[in-house]
Amino acid sequence: MKDDRKSALYLAITEAVMEEIKANQIEVVQEESLLRVPVSISARHVHLEKVHADILFGKEYEFQKHRDISQPGQYACVEQVTIVGPKSSIERVRIVAPLRRQTQVEVSRTDAIKLGIQPPVRHSGDVAGSAPITIIGPKGKIHLKEGCIIADRHIHMSPADANTFGVANHQKVQVEVDGEKAGVMGNVTIRVSERYALDMHIDTDDANAFAIKGTEYLTLIK
């Protein structure tokens, strides 16, 4: 009888311990998942204001969707342009719609070296004092005295996402990358808006440096 009671007691203890381990493992997995964000690779592209769209493609031209991108309402267009710097040019650069209040060209550092320009690392929309560049379309061309930037690393979040992650608009965080070329990316800007869907944006240079394909989930480090 004693042996039977001991066996039953050991079994009860083991089951209790296993339940506790299982519960803790589930909690840890959930906690880690809350800190992970999807990542997208943003290749060189152009945002156009209405007057420049008219010059490059013709009056009241309607852009055709190539594919949706991660942020609601935005899409890469079928239409492409050529961007020109002092040293060289790059063809087949996609337009991203819808139209904006100000024309902006986003390139990587590698692109900038090829073009012979020195664009600053900036938030999207912050083009004052940025690099000059020429854009050539099928109907005409424009020369921007400023407007070319290298986009900063950033994570789009809704207010609910920001609350979940415990971060604030414009806060700088780090993001950890796993895999064959693991590492940590610093100076990642949090951007919060009701219009945003959760997604981290990096350029092609960062993607190549960390061997990121754009299908991964990366870990946010506050």
Side-chain angles (χ1 to χ4, degrees):
M1 289 292 291
K2 282 185 178 180
D3 289 340
D4 290 342
R5 285 198 296 270
K6 275 186 179 181
S7 297
L9 179 60
Y10 289 155
L11 179 60
I13 292 173
T14 300
E15 288 177 347
V17 170
M18 292 303 295
E19 287 177 2
E20 183 68 15
I21 290 173
K22 183 179 179 181
N24 287 337
Q25 285 177 335
I26 292 172
E27 183 179 350
V28 169
V29 170
Q30 289 175 340
E31 182 66 21
E32 287 181 351
S33 69
L34 291 177
L35 295 177
R36 294 176 75 81
V37 295
V39 61
S40 294
I41 302 167
S42 184
R44 66 182 80 99
H45 61 274
V46 176
H47 299 280
L48 289 175
E49 60 187 82
K50 177 67 166 58
V51 64
H52 290 157
D54 287 346
I55 293 170
L56 294 173
F57 290 93
K59 200 78 170 174
E60 304 301 329
Y61 183 85
E62 293 188 8
F63 290 92
Q64 305 300 307
K65 182 186 293 187
H66 171 61
R67 64 175 178 84
D68 290 316
I69 57 179
S70 66
Q71 295 312 298
Q74 297 188 32
Y75 55 93
C77 299
V78 172
E79 292 77 10
Q80 301 173 337
V81 294
T82 298
I83 55 176
V84 184
K87 284 179 58 178
S88 184
S89 63
I90 299 176
E91 299 178 343
R92 297 186 294 278
V93 180
R94 287 199 185 276
I95 304 298
V96 171
L99 298 178
R100 291 194 175 186
R101 288 179 295 179
Q102 189 171 15
T103 295
Q104 173 179 295
V105 180
E106 296 182 32
V107 298
S108 68
R109 182 70 67 188
T110 300
D111 293 334
I113 293 170
K114 179 178 180 179
L115 293 167
I117 58 177
Q118 295 183 331
V121 177
R122 296 277 184 82
H123 300 324
S124 181
D126 182 10
V127 298
S130 59
I133 196 164
T134 296
I135 306 174
I136 301 175
K139 298 292 185 178
K141 69 178 180 178
I142 57 173
H143 177 72
L144 302 178
K145 292 182 179 180
E146 57 185 20
C148 185
I149 66 169
I150 297 171
D152 65 340
R153 301 162 174 163
H154 57 277
I155 302 174
H156 291 284
M157 290 185 177
S158 68
D161 291 327
N163 183 63
T164 298
F165 281 83
V167 295
N169 193 30
H170 300 310
Q171 180 177 339
K172 295 290 187 178
V173 298
Q174 294 181 318
V175 172
E176 185 177 14
V177 183
D178 298 323
E180 294 180 332
K181 302 189 76 174
V184 175
M185 286 188 273
N187 287 328
V188 180
T189 306
I190 299 296
R191 298 187 190 171
V192 181
S193 172
E194 293 283 0
R195 305 188 310 272
Y196 292 160
L198 182 64
D199 198 38
M200 179 176 179
H201 286 182
I202 59 174
D203 66 18
T204 50
D205 282 355
D206 281 336
N208 290 334
F210 290 90
I212 293 172
K213 298 178 180 179
T215 57
E216 300 86 350
Y217 280 74
L218 310 184
T219 303
L220 188 152
I221 306 171
K222 290 184 285 184

